[in-house]
Amino acid sequence: MSDRARVLFVDDEKRVLNSMRGMFRRQFELYLTTEGATAVQIASENPIDVIVADQRMPGMTGIEVLQKVKELSPNTVRILLTGYADPSAVEDSINVGEVFRFLGKPCPPKLLRETLDLAITATRDGKRAGAPAPVAADPPRRERAALRSQAGAPNPANRFDEALARWQSTTRAALAADAHKAAHDSDAGTRITARAREVGAVVYTVDAGFAETAIRALSPDRSTTLATSLIRVMQAIEQDTTGVLITDIAINSTRLQRVLGALKQHRPELMTIAVSDSRDTTDMVRLINYARVFRYCVKPLSSRQLRADVDEAAVKHLELRNDPRSVRRHAVVEFPTEAETSPALESILSHIRRNRSPVVKAEDGH
């Protein structure tokens, strides 16, 4: 078998496939098809490294193809290439296809080559990584002084933390009953292990209604911190047990996207669930390509839905902490700088870069 990377393109337009053949036939071992079902069969019978799928195709959409490939060949890196970035397709590419990148048509050849090279490096290096790296048992305490100095006078009593404590003390029995019922009524069909329940979560929002939903959904099951500032978020993430970030992206959207991108670069095991008031395609594409968010949810969402998403995120977090091959498939590139940033934001970004996660340090051999 050829040692060249195996790349599968599926697109109902033959001219697109001919173009891919012309660009990549000397570099990769190519598989080309106009049929979604055929692409799924190819992926099930061959060790495909990367699949690139068009979205709008007769019979099966690109998302449906990628979902089936994810189930049959989870190690195959998935890329969606489409000229129709409708909101539902972009959202499904996150929540259903869990795509590596979302690329628009026409895609500049340089960008497509760079994306394929990054995807292949992720999957090929992962296969050579060997046994899973151990999780650091006691990571060193991170320096916080520089970050706190940018925050000004710290607020020692986050009002949502206070609300959480009061709410839990008066409704603990009701919360326990809700959690017990949800565990039996859940249609996810997934049993969450005790270790996954130990993965902590931080919720970043100033929306009191969503904060209450998050409290009801998460506090019976796992350690949960609510924060109204990025400073508080950073402090919570520095706790070794925190593995899931639920963030309301309505708060300083562009600035927050840069922070999420930096976090994913330097803490790839952190699973992020983005919550928004609407389906903004630009935001979603950026969150895919530069931050690899795990889920994208639109308000209002139920406690049950949020609990299920966080449970899945916790399981994925543990997988990434223990398996460097999976970590490599979550590689992202630097978020493009589109405007000047404030000193406070630059301080946060610098702080993230300095305090890299134990998993990444183990991967780099430092």
Side-chain angles (χ1 to χ4, degrees):
M1 181 178 290
S2 170
D3 191 47
R4 293 190 299 172
R6 291 169 288 275
V7 180
L8 167 59
F9 288 95
V10 52
D11 197 304
D12 63 324
E13 296 185 66
K14 290 185 178 180
R15 64 175 182 82
V16 174
L17 297 180
N18 289 336
S19 176
M20 299 304 170
R21 181 185 288 111
M23 281 195 290
F24 299 116
R25 69 178 184 276
R26 293 184 178 88
Q27 185 177 0
F28 307 131
E29 184 176 332
L30 293 182
Y31 297 78
L32 308 172
T33 179
T34 59
E35 300 288 339
T38 303
V40 173
Q41 182 177 352
I42 291 171
S44 68
E45 297 174 351
N46 300 274
I48 300 297
D49 293 301
V50 181
I51 178 172
V52 182
D54 182 33
Q55 170 60 8
R56 289 197 174 183
M57 299 184 294
M60 295 176 67
T61 66
I63 295 298
E64 291 171 335
V65 172
L66 296 181
Q67 181 184 19
K68 291 184 178 296
V69 169
K70 181 181 72 171
E71 296 169 356
L72 294 170
S73 179
N75 291 334
T76 298
V77 175
R78 300 170 296 279
I79 296 172
L80 194 69
L81 177 65
T82 179
Y84 303 95
D86 61 277
S88 59
V90 184
E91 184 180 5
D92 285 346
S93 69
I94 300 172
N95 298 339
V96 180
E98 294 182 8
V99 301
F100 181 75
R101 291 292 186 274
F102 188 104
L103 301 178
K105 285 183 178 178
C107 183
K110 182 175 183 292
L111 175 59
L112 182 56
R113 287 183 182 278
E114 290 173 349
T115 302
L116 286 173
D117 287 343
L118 187 62
I120 290 164
T121 297
T123 187
R124 285 284 174 113
D125 284 0
K127 291 174 182 177
R128 290 193 289 265
V135 177
D138 186 19
R141 184 180 299 275
R142 297 180 173 89
E143 180 60 50
R144 297 178 183 144
L147 183 64
R148 284 174 178 164
S149 67
Q150 287 291 338
N155 179 4
N158 182 292
R159 67 176 183 273
F160 280 129
D161 286 338
E162 292 179 347
L164 173 61
R166 290 197 302 270
W167 203 68
Q168 284 180 314
S169 66
T170 56
T171 61
R172 190 172 299 277
L175 287 170
D178 283 352
H180 180 76
K181 184 176 187 300
H184 287 275
D185 294 348
S186 173
D187 56 3
T190 303
R191 290 187 178 274
I192 304 301
T193 65
R195 189 164 177 234
R197 293 290 187 203
E198 294 173 358
V199 175
V202 55
V203 181
Y204 176 41
T205 185
V206 294
D207 180 338
F210 178 66
E212 183 173 344
T213 297
I215 292 170
R216 181 176 293 276
L218 307 180
S219 60
D221 299 328
R222 65 183 72 253
S223 173
T224 304
T225 301
L226 283 96
T228 58
S229 71
L230 284 172
I231 302 300
R232 187 74 177 93
V233 171
M234 295 301 107
Q235 292 169 347
I237 288 175
E238 287 176 355
Q239 304 302 312
D240 188 47
T241 57
T242 300
V244 182
L245 167 62
I246 304 98
T247 179
D248 191 337
I249 65 169
I251 312 172
N252 298 317
S253 179
T254 302
R255 174 176 134 173
L256 180 58
Q257 289 168 21
R258 289 199 64 193
V259 171
L260 296 179
L263 281 170
K264 197 60 178 177
Q265 276 192 300
H266 300 291
R267 296 182 63 86
E269 76 281 9
L270 179 70
M271 292 288 100
T272 299
I273 297 172
V275 181
S276 178
D277 295 317
S278 63
R279 292 175 176 85
D280 184 293
T281 56
T282 299
D283 283 347
M284 287 190 286
V285 170
R286 284 177 173 174
L287 290 169
I288 294 170
N289 293 343
Y290 301 112
R292 283 302 307 274
V293 296
F294 182 69
R295 291 289 183 269
Y296 188 94
C297 305
V298 179
K299 300 176 189 175
L301 66 160
S302 67
S303 296
R304 178 181 294 185
Q305 177 190 344
L306 184 59
R307 183 187 295 115
D309 285 342
V310 171
D311 284 346
E312 289 184 30
V315 172
K316 191 69 173 180
H317 166 76
L318 292 176
E319 175 188 327
L320 296 189
R321 281 183 63 92
N322 287 281
D323 188 353
R325 293 167 295 183
S326 297
V327 167
R328 293 174 191 273
R329 295 189 186 98
H330 280 246
V332 294
V333 296
E334 188 80 24
F335 193 94
T337 302
E338 299 177 346
E340 291 187 21
T341 55
S342 66
L345 176 57
E346 284 301 334
S347 177
I348 291 171
L349 295 174
S350 297
H351 182 80
I352 293 169
R353 297 179 188 116
R354 287 195 306 270
N355 298 290
R356 302 174 71 179
S357 71
V359 173
V360 177
K361 287 181 179 178
E363 287 281 291
D364 290 345
H366 297 308

